[in-house]
Amino acid sequence: MLKIPIYMDNNSTTRVDPRVVEAMLPYFTEHYGNAASRSHPYGWESEQAVETAREQIASLIGAGAKEIIFTSGATESDNLALKGVAQMYKKKGNHIITQATEHKAVLDACKRLEKEGFQVTYLPVDAFGQVNVEQIRAAITDKTILVSIMSANNEIGSLQPIKAIGKLCKEKGILFHTDGVQSVGKVPINVEEMGIDLLSLTAHKMYGPKGIGALYVRKKDPRVRLDPQIDGGGHERGMRSGTLAVPLIVGFGRAAEIAHQEMAEEAKRLYRLRERLRKAIMEKLPESYLNGHPDERLPGNANISFAYVEGEGLMMGIKDVAVSSGSACTSASLEPSYVLRALGVGDELAHSSIRFGLGRFTTEEEVDYVIDLVVREVNRLREMSPLYEMAQQGIDLKSIAWAAH
Amino acid sequence: MPYSDKVLEHYNHPRNVGSFSPSDLNVGTGLVGAPECGDVLKLQILVNPSTGMIEDAKFKTFGCGSAIASSSLATEWLKGKTIDEAMDIKNTAIVEELALPPVKVHCSVLAEDAIKAAIKNFQDKQVSKSAKQSERAELVGAAS
């Protein structure tokens, strides 16, 4: 029996794994001590639980436990990495390199730094949403202090050449930050092998709870220093003050442990399901296009544009499946997805895009249901679309003088 | 965003989807919006030239549910109206009928624009038709 609506928005957030919930529960009602309390067993057991979680998370990314700084989520981690590095190293230089398709947490932090006098280079991406290491090499100046390139994109799932970028940054003595929100726990990420100095993480994209994230901050070769953004009790090596959210951290740790153990198998299963969905939809619906890289992408992500059909209108038709769209109509602005635009996807196709995010709890039965639903609704809406009618009549839609509104 | 029941009803059971031949002199076609903006409405009216009555209306729409519902509702309202009455259909009435939220008001504006464009297209055709007729009459007159 299918549970409707089917959840296929795992790039947005994930269901908390029941094993994670189970691990968390005692830390609400039994072990509720403050991890910073040194004077009684309540504090000690909370501290112990936090340290275990730190190790579990560190182990997933090949880091040391002391290099994990807990935050409220990846938005805070991105802010801390960018602003913290910029302010700490501003005597060394004032230039930061990032790319056009970063998450807003990185882009908006960069915009604020620009207001404070920093120079930011926003590299363009290619048609698959990727940057190449030569672009970064060319953008580096003697003032560059930080490169921030996400390891996988949240909308289109494209992976970036992180290892090559890490190597270049080492060579140039520049710090390298990557937003690993989408990639960690989904594809192998190792801070040593990839030369990552700072890595943003969040629990809720890997079947953990919302409201807890982390920033990996390298401790040696080089020892990265940060100007803290939140002042207070000096928690987290002084980099992020505030009482630790012990139950959330315990859940984050357990989620990381499960991801570590099951990632290889889960990635294979998700890839198979994703390809089943993608192939069937694209075979049955002509003029549907995959956005992002065909192979170098997250195993569970398929972002597809359906020509002649508008994304929000389509989502209404396929309301039995929870997905997201690059259409302008889903946001307050009238601009369609800036990520798809950066790839050079025309506005018309950007409006027609649907992001399918498969996850740990997605079943084959759900995938087959979604295939039928999408095919049926796209066909229904195409029959209702003046653009489809014109295309069928051989009219070149670009030849028409549309009145933009 | 939750949709009103009326928007859902029109979206799930759109009225009058289809097309008339645009070359028919009694058909007025309005095509408004732009693909890159995410909305294109094509609205057509079939007018009885002797009574000035809109006998039938059809639409095709590329857009969100509210755009589809606005066009569907517009075709319902157009049927049986005279050209003059149709000119009086205001987007605000569509907003009210469909309970459109502020961010969807532009869908109703497009529907009103499409109605006006279809009427103008019909009227232009009538002018050129009568021009042709008088031209022909002159030719016939000159020949005799």
Side-chain angles (χ1 to χ4, degrees):
Chain A
M1 187 62 192
L2 286 173
K3 184 176 181 289
I4 301 291
I6 290 165
Y7 191 73
M8 264 195 204
D9 203 11
N10 284 283
N11 295 110
S12 173
T13 193
T14 57
R15 172 184 164 191
V16 180
D17 192 302
R19 293 171 287 181
V20 169
V21 177
E22 197 186 344
M24 290 169 69
L25 286 176
Y27 290 90
F28 287 104
T29 51
E30 291 164 47
H31 315 299
Y32 47 81
N34 187 325
S37 295
R38 295 285 158 82
S39 52
H40 50 68
Y42 288 96
W44 305 336
E45 62 194 15
S46 285
E47 191 193 12
Q48 183 52 51
V50 167
E51 293 320 308
T52 302
R54 225 186 273 284
E55 274 163 26
Q56 289 165 324
I57 295 158
S59 162
L60 175 61
I61 57 169
K66 291 196 170 66
E67 297 174 307
I68 302 298
I69 304 296
F70 287 112
T71 65
S72 60
T75 291
E76 188 190 332
S77 300
D78 286 340
N79 271 270
L80 177 57
L82 285 145
K83 295 174 185 169
V85 163
Q87 285 154 11
M88 181 59 76
Y89 293 87
K90 65 183 171 201
K91 280 190 185 137
K92 203 178 158 210
N94 68 343
H95 181 229
I96 294 167
I97 298 171
T98 186
Q99 56 165 356
T101 56
E102 285 295 315
H103 191 271
K104 288 286 180 190
V106 167
L107 294 177
D108 288 356
C110 284
K111 291 222 177 73
R112 182 168 301 273
L113 288 169
E114 281 182 295
K115 281 185 199 152
E116 290 170 14
F118 289 88
Q119 306 281 318
V120 181
T121 301
Y122 301 91
L123 294 173
V125 294
D126 65 16
F128 294 137
Q130 294 175 313
V131 289
N132 69 65
V133 75
E134 292 315 312
Q135 278 176 280
I136 298 172
R137 190 187 298 277
I140 291 173
T141 71
D142 56 359
K143 296 277 185 226
T144 308
I145 51 172
L146 179 69
V147 170
S148 179
I149 301 286
M150 64 191 350
S151 33
N153 184 270
N154 47 308
E155 289 191 30
I156 53 172
S158 292
L159 303 173
Q160 299 288 1
I162 293 303
K163 196 171 175 177
I165 299 170
K167 188 160 173 274
L168 171 68
C169 290
K170 282 287 147 309
E171 198 181 298
K172 299 281 183 184
I174 296 165
L175 294 178
F176 176 37
H177 166 251
T178 186
D179 180 334
V181 163
Q182 297 286 339
S183 60
V184 172
K186 316 292 166 52
V187 293
I189 296 287
N190 186 296
V191 294
E192 289 305 324
E193 286 169 17
M194 296 176 163
I196 298 165
D197 298 313
L198 298 125
L199 172 72
S200 299
L201 300 159
T202 194
H204 77 96
K205 310 272 198 211
M206 53 164 109
Y207 314 97
K210 294 164 186 62
I212 188 71
L215 182 65
Y216 157 79
V217 184
R218 179 175 286 280
K219 266 196 95 167
K220 59 172 197 245
D221 307 322
R223 180 184 183 87
V224 178
R225 292 181 303 145
L226 292 176
D227 204 16
Q229 304 297 305
I230 295 178
D231 298 315
H235 308 75
E236 301 298 274
R237 293 163 52 207
M239 292 189 196
R240 204 280 192 179
S241 289
T243 296
L244 291 174
V246 179
L248 300 180
I249 289 170
V250 168
F252 190 2
R254 180 72 177 117
E257 184 185 46
I258 295 170
H260 200 180
Q261 288 161 352
E262 300 181 359
M263 182 165 63
E265 280 308 307
E266 188 166 284
K268 273 188 227 157
R269 195 186 75 90
L270 283 180
Y271 174 80
R272 192 178 54 77
L273 285 179
R274 198 273 312 279
E275 281 300 284
R276 184 184 180 93
L277 178 83
R278 185 194 66 75
K279 278 189 188 148
I281 287 178
M282 292 180 69
E283 273 167 21
K284 290 177 186 179
L285 292 170
E287 295 196 70
S288 51
Y289 306 94
L290 182 73
N291 297 310
H293 199 284
D295 309 311
E296 293 166 21
R297 67 186 303 133
L298 292 171
N301 171 287
N303 186 313
I304 304 176
S305 287
F306 302 96
Y308 318 121
V309 172
E310 196 274 331
E312 192 192 346
L314 177 57
M315 283 209 294
M316 204 164 153
I318 58 171
K319 63 180 188 320
D320 284 354
V321 54
V323 289
S324 73
S325 168
S327 163
C329 290
T330 58
S331 63
S333 78
L334 281 174
E335 298 286 307
S337 156
Y338 69 94
V339 171
L340 294 177
R341 293 184 112 183
L343 267 62
V345 174
D347 281 358
E348 182 203 331
L349 279 176
H351 276 294
S352 308
S353 76
I354 297 284
R355 178 183 71 180
F356 300 93
L358 285 65
R360 181 175 292 166
F361 303 102
T362 305
T363 65
E364 193 170 294
E365 191 191 4
E366 289 178 331
V367 166
D368 290 346
Y369 183 91
V370 170
I371 292 168
D372 288 345
L373 181 64
V374 169
V375 170
R376 190 178 71 222
E377 278 303 307
V378 169
N379 281 329
R380 181 178 89 96
L381 290 170
R382 280 183 175 175
E383 285 307 316
M384 221 190 283
S385 165
L387 305 180
Y388 185 66
E389 183 181 62
M390 291 159 104
Q392 297 298 98
Q393 291 164 353
I395 298 169
D396 178 8
L397 295 176
K398 293 194 170 58
S399 72
I400 294 176
W402 300 104
H405 53 281
Chain B
M1 188 185 319
Y3 293 95
S4 72
D5 289 345
K6 281 188 179 153
V7 169
L8 286 171
E9 167 57 22
H10 278 280
Y11 176 82
N12 290 323
H13 308 284
R15 286 39 148 193
N16 311 308
V17 175
S19 299
F20 299 122
S21 166
S23 56
D24 184 336
L25 285 178
N26 296 331
V27 168
T29 303
L31 183 67
V32 299
E36 60 267 28
C37 302
D39 293 298
V40 176
L41 272 64
K42 187 190 81 169
L43 196 145
Q44 292 182 304
I45 49 174
L46 178 66
V47 186
N48 181 331
S50 52
T51 60
M53 191 77 86
I54 297 170
E55 292 188 332
D56 204 354
K58 287 194 185 297
F59 83 94
K60 284 205 171 189
T61 289
F62 163 86
C64 65
S66 303
I68 290 170
S70 297
S71 344
S72 171
L73 178 66
T75 58
E76 261 193 337
W77 281 356
L78 284 169
K79 282 199 215 180
K81 281 201 167 59
T82 64
I83 292 286
D84 287 344
E85 285 165 349
M87 284 300 283
D88 283 339
I89 297 176
K90 295 276 181 294
N91 82 292
T92 46
I94 296 172
V95 170
E96 202 174 315
E97 175 67 17
L98 296 175
L100 295 180
V103 293
K104 294 297 179 189
V105 168
H106 72 277
C107 298
S108 69
V109 174
L110 274 180
E112 184 186 322
D113 289 351
I115 293 171
K116 298 225 156 59
I119 291 171
K120 179 164 190 306
N121 179 252
F122 169 76
Q123 288 170 336
D124 288 351
K125 277 183 181 173
Q126 298 307 305
V127 171
S128 63
K129 184 169 84 175
S130 57
K132 271 191 195 129
Q133 274 167 353
S134 58
E135 211 174 291
R136 197 174 302 129
E138 277 167 32
L139 285 173
V140 171
S144 59

